[in-house]
Amino acid sequence: MRNPHYEYLGRRMREYHRMQQWRLSDGGLFIPHAYWNMGPESLSYWDDVGFILNGRRIIVWWHHPRHIYGEAISSMAWDEAGDGPRDDWLFEGGTKGYKMVGKSSKRKKLSSFTSRAPSEAQTQHYAKLQKIEERLTRDGIDLEVRPSWKWERLSWAMGVSLVAPFEVRNEKELAEVAHLARELILQKTTLTQEFPDFVYDKASWLRERAVLAPAHHTAPEVKA
């Protein structure tokens, strides 16, 4: 049975692809990030890559399991810290800056906004949150992360969310992510076949904390 919503998204997707061309590499990949700051021993956490499949644009949002684990630590820290004083210091009580405009320079126009400092209560809450997150990062949490993937129809592409234990430190390694996503979509492989029995857990996290320096924890740079 036809689904009108999916048919509509498909038309929007093809129209967007015709009107908004992707800058593709020689290998046919959309690569939005640069890797000049990534070394051979760097840990990688997430990246994006795109390609064309059967005339449709595919965008892959890839995450290493360690990134999912780290995000869970941050979430648990917020839960443990509890609600803060709700001091909206970014937007309330700031200072507005103006510049004079017009031929006579008699009119003024808002040109900047400087936030005030957070309240003492808010500062203490941030310090509490930081200590909790540092402890959970040091000790680890009881969590197991396994490879997974799902996809969704967007108005401009098919989006693939992929969790898989790659290290992506250059365009060649990023191409491996794109290749796996393509094979998964075409049902030529499964994550169970590619990563049998893989699990990222507390032992994995603590092992990496022990042997790798913080300087190795880097992310790709957005291309200019």
Side-chain angles (χ1 to χ4, degrees):
M1 181 180 296
R2 291 185 174 182
N3 187 310
H5 177 65
Y6 287 160
E7 289 182 345
Y8 168 75
L9 289 179
R11 290 194 300 271
R12 289 286 304 275
M13 196 183 307
R14 289 189 290 271
E15 179 182 351
Y16 186 90
H17 182 51
R18 285 196 305 269
M19 302 299 294
Q20 305 289 335
Q21 294 298 312
W22 254 355
R23 294 178 298 171
L24 301 181
S25 68
D26 292 340
L29 299 180
F30 171 67
I31 302 175
H33 300 131
Y35 302 92
W36 61 267
N37 64 330
M38 305 286 281
E41 300 300 324
S42 295
L43 291 180
S44 48
Y45 286 75
W46 61 270
D47 209 344
D48 307 321
V49 64
F51 55 89
I52 308 300
L53 180 63
N54 297 331
R56 291 187 176 184
R57 192 174 296 197
I58 309 294
I59 183 69
V60 182
W61 305 297
W62 165 77
H63 299 275
H64 192 283
R66 73 171 64 94
H67 182 255
I68 305 300
Y69 193 97
E71 290 293 295
I73 285 178
S74 296
S75 179
M76 288 184 65
W78 278 98
D79 290 342
E80 185 174 333
D83 293 334
R86 301 187 183 280
D87 174 24
D88 195 6
W89 60 275
L90 281 175
F91 302 105
E92 292 182 356
T95 302
K96 296 179 179 179
Y98 296 89
K99 66 178 181 180
M100 305 310 294
V101 297
K103 292 183 178 181
S104 62
S105 296
K106 291 183 178 180
R107 293 185 294 112
K108 61 182 181 179
K109 179 181 178 181
L110 181 65
S111 61
S112 64
F113 184 87
T114 303
S115 299
R116 64 175 172 83
S119 66
E120 180 63 26
Q122 186 69 63
T123 299
Q124 291 178 0
H125 182 72
Y126 286 152
K128 175 184 178 182
L129 175 64
Q130 182 178 357
K131 287 184 178 180
I132 293 172
E133 187 159 357
E134 288 174 350
R135 170 172 54 81
L136 295 178
T137 299
R138 182 186 65 247
D139 298 343
I141 60 175
D142 292 324
L143 177 68
E144 293 183 344
V145 183
R146 290 178 169 79
S148 64
W149 79 288
K150 63 179 181 179
W151 69 336
E152 58 185 303
R153 296 174 185 262
L154 308 172
S155 62
W156 61 278
M158 294 297 298
V160 177
S161 299
L162 174 63
V163 177
F166 290 102
E167 295 297 344
V168 179
R169 296 158 294 204
N170 51 58
E171 294 187 4
K172 182 179 179 180
E173 292 179 340
L174 183 65
E176 296 177 11
V177 175
H179 176 74
L180 175 60
R182 182 183 285 108
E183 296 293 285
L184 289 170
I185 293 171
L186 296 175
Q187 299 183 357
K188 292 184 176 181
T189 190
T190 66
L191 291 176
T192 301
Q193 289 177 259
E194 298 294 328
F195 309 104
D197 302 321
F198 177 87
V199 60
Y200 188 96
D201 55 12
K202 181 190 288 190
S204 309
W205 177 264
L206 295 180
R207 186 165 54 249
E208 291 180 349
R209 298 312 97 184
V211 301
L212 293 176
H216 291 150
H217 304 163
T218 53
E221 295 283 334
V222 176
K223 285 185 175 179

